Amino acid sequence: MLATRKLVTVFSILALGVIVAPVFALKVTEPAAAAHGYPGLCDINGKKLANGEFRQWVESNRLHIVITYKFSAGEVYEEHSQFRQQPELIQEKWSWKESKHGRSQREFAVDFLTGIASAHISQDQKDVSKKTNIEPARTFAGFGFSLALSNLCKRLLSGEQVQLKAVGFSEFPTLGPQVVTVTISHGGLDRIRMSGRSVKGDRFVVHPEIPFIANLFVNVPDTKIWLTNPAPAGFLRWEGPIVLPTDPMIRVDLISGEKSRPAESAGS
């Protein structure tokens, strides 16, 4: 991802009647606790690709999350995250590793405390490490956005749009990490069929604010995250590129089934 334009602190889009406000510190309104689940990873058309395991627990006043996806061909994806929840939601660590038959293929990591982000791709023999500008309680990566959304849900459902920061990687111009502004909005209430069930979920859109000139060279797609409806708001579905903007789009469902169907509007 590429650096974005500087944005005014708070501004109004009068034509749409929408207030877009940056979040300077994300207060915890929905603290997370221990959880264990078995999501499924699919391609964007709903074909099941991998079985997942989600583990979440609190240890030494830190929230730890490990998500693992295992493919039949021997590939494994694993995401690790660590957070502090008091008094604000602060992501401290994030990493993503892809391996095949035990051998590392790609690795990405962000230490939010030091600001150091790194990437490694074995096939291309690429190794990049760079210090980034992390704003605590405002900058997130990976599953961190699902946690952030659960604490912003009420504001977003009321029609407000908020801005956070995301740490991402892009092969253009280098593999180096970048911190970009993202605008988050409520996209609507959907009904989702997964594993033979029909459940309702609020769809939220995470939109990277990429300058026009940068869009000529790299397309950074939106990420969509669904949270359960009615409250309490918990993770239901995620859609977006695997890690890099040029990666294939995938879908992760909370309830794992052999076929995942697209979301359909459930009205207001």
Side-chain angles (χ1 to χ4, degrees):
M1 295 182 181
L2 301 175
T4 61
R5 298 181 297 260
K6 291 184 178 180
L7 302 176
V8 293
T9 302
V10 179
F11 61 91
S12 174
I13 304 177
L14 298 178
L16 299 178
V18 175
I19 300 298
V20 183
V23 175
F24 294 104
L26 208 165
K27 294 183 179 181
V28 175
T29 59
E30 299 290 338
H36 205 147
Y38 297 90
L41 186 150
C42 309
D43 66 18
I44 200 61
N45 296 314
K47 180 182 177 182
K48 179 77 168 292
L49 300 178
N51 291 314
E53 182 178 14
F54 175 93
R55 294 184 295 129
Q56 178 177 285
W57 70 96
V58 177
E59 182 179 338
S60 301
N61 296 320
R62 296 294 188 271
L63 179 70
H64 300 263
I65 296 176
V66 177
I67 311 172
T68 306
Y69 302 103
K70 295 184 178 180
F71 296 73
S72 59
E75 293 176 300
V76 176
Y77 294 172
E78 189 164 84
E79 178 179 354
H80 288 246
S81 298
Q82 179 179 301
F83 303 85
R84 190 166 76 237
Q85 295 190 91
Q86 293 297 333
E88 302 157 344
L89 180 66
I90 298 177
Q91 187 161 7
E92 296 183 337
K93 295 180 181 180
W94 175 84
S95 66
W96 177 276
K97 181 179 179 180
E98 299 175 14
S99 60
K100 188 168 185 178
H101 302 305
R103 292 189 175 185
S104 175
Q105 305 294 308
R106 302 196 304 177
E107 296 185 39
F108 304 88
V110 182
D111 186 328
F112 289 78
L113 301 179
T114 64
I116 300 298
S118 59
H120 168 75
I121 299 181
S122 298
Q123 181 178 356
D124 300 330
Q125 296 183 340
K126 288 184 178 180
D127 283 286
V128 176
S129 181
K130 178 182 176 182
K131 186 174 179 60
T132 57
N133 184 23
I134 301 294
E135 298 181 44
R138 195 186 175 202
T139 310
F140 299 92
F143 195 79
F145 277 97
S146 295
L147 288 181
L149 278 173
S150 66
N151 290 284
L152 290 168
C153 194
K154 292 181 180 179
R155 293 173 58 179
L156 295 168
L157 290 176
S158 70
E160 186 178 350
Q161 294 185 7
V162 300
Q163 289 183 335
L164 294 173
K165 299 283 187 176
V167 184
F169 299 83
S170 175
E171 292 180 304
F172 177 87
T174 68
L175 193 61
Q178 299 288 342
V179 177
V180 300
T181 298
V182 293
T183 299
I184 305 176
S185 60
H186 180 234
L189 179 64
D190 294 335
R191 186 165 289 280
I192 302 174
R193 290 189 175 275
M194 55 175 72
S195 192
R197 299 183 59 183
S198 178
V199 294
K200 288 195 301 181
D202 285 297
R203 172 173 28 94
F204 299 94
V205 180
V206 182
H207 175 70
E209 298 294 345
I210 305 299
F212 171 76
I213 189 65
N215 272 322
L216 297 178
F217 300 97
V218 60
N219 176 39
V220 183
D222 292 346
T223 294
K224 298 177 183 177
I225 301 173
W226 284 259
L227 300 183
T228 53
N229 179 296
F235 175 80
L236 185 61
R237 170 176 284 183
W238 180 94
E239 288 183 355
I242 299 173
V243 179
L244 301 178
T246 52
D247 283 347
M249 298 285 286
I250 59 172
R251 175 186 299 163
V252 175
D253 279 350
L254 172 67
I255 307 173
S256 179
E258 289 306 314
K259 179 67 176 179
S260 173
R261 299 183 180 276
E264 299 178 352
S265 175
S268 60

